[in-house]
Amino acid sequence: MSNLPIFDVAGSAMQAQSVRLSTVASNLANANTVAGTAEGAYRAKQPVFSAEPLAADPALAGVQVLEVRESDAAPIRRYDPGNPLADPQGYVYAPDVDPVAQMVDMISASRSYQANVEVFNSAKELAVATLNMGR
């Protein structure tokens, strides 16, 4: 905790967006994986955020990552009898991950992160300018 809560707010938001970017990267990396069973298929992950009151000023809130949830969407069943992971009927199971939606989420998280970096840098410049006024 700093004496200037804007740094805590922007820092918590950057940390939350970093978690969001990590889950998107995991989802995209596993979008084309297959498994021999529906239970073994990769499940897309999504972070759950919550407002977190700051100890320095309860009127202000930062962002807290409550958990990273796995999707409840059923895996996609594909007929691929030549695949070594295929079940006895010749089916493999792929995650229900939409790469386009994941890319949109990634762009949104990246822009949110960039916006919070700008807030952090602006607050730093203002704090330095305020300190230099006393010289």
Side-chain angles (χ1 to χ4, degrees):
M1 292 287 168
S2 69
N3 290 334
L4 299 172
I6 187 68
F7 293 115
D8 297 327
V9 172
S12 70
M14 287 189 292
Q15 194 258 340
Q17 294 306 323
S18 178
V19 169
R20 187 173 166 203
L21 284 167
S22 293
T23 58
V24 167
S26 177
N27 292 342
L28 286 172
N30 290 290
N32 293 321
T33 61
V34 294
T37 65
E39 296 78 26
Y42 177 80
R43 303 279 182 173
K45 294 172 178 26
Q46 183 74 28
V48 177
F49 300 133
S50 173
E52 174 185 36
L54 298 180
D57 186 352
L60 297 176
V63 180
Q64 175 186 14
V65 179
L66 289 180
E67 65 179 309
V68 177
R69 287 190 185 155
E70 285 190 353
S71 173
D72 293 335
I76 299 167
R77 190 173 119 167
R78 280 190 280 203
Y79 186 68
D80 188 3
N83 191 311
L85 295 175
D87 65 12
Q89 291 81 30
Y91 289 97
V92 293
Y93 300 86
D96 187 16
V97 174
D98 180 3
V100 174
Q102 293 297 313
M103 292 298 291
V104 169
D105 200 24
M106 181 182 69
I107 291 167
S108 174
S110 176
R111 288 189 178 160
S112 293
Y113 189 93
Q114 289 172 336
N116 283 292
V117 167
E118 290 298 321
V119 168
F120 197 91
N121 287 335
S122 295
K124 181 183 75 169
E125 289 172 13
L126 289 171
V128 169
T130 301
L131 290 172
N132 287 335
M133 286 176 60
R135 288 186 182 195

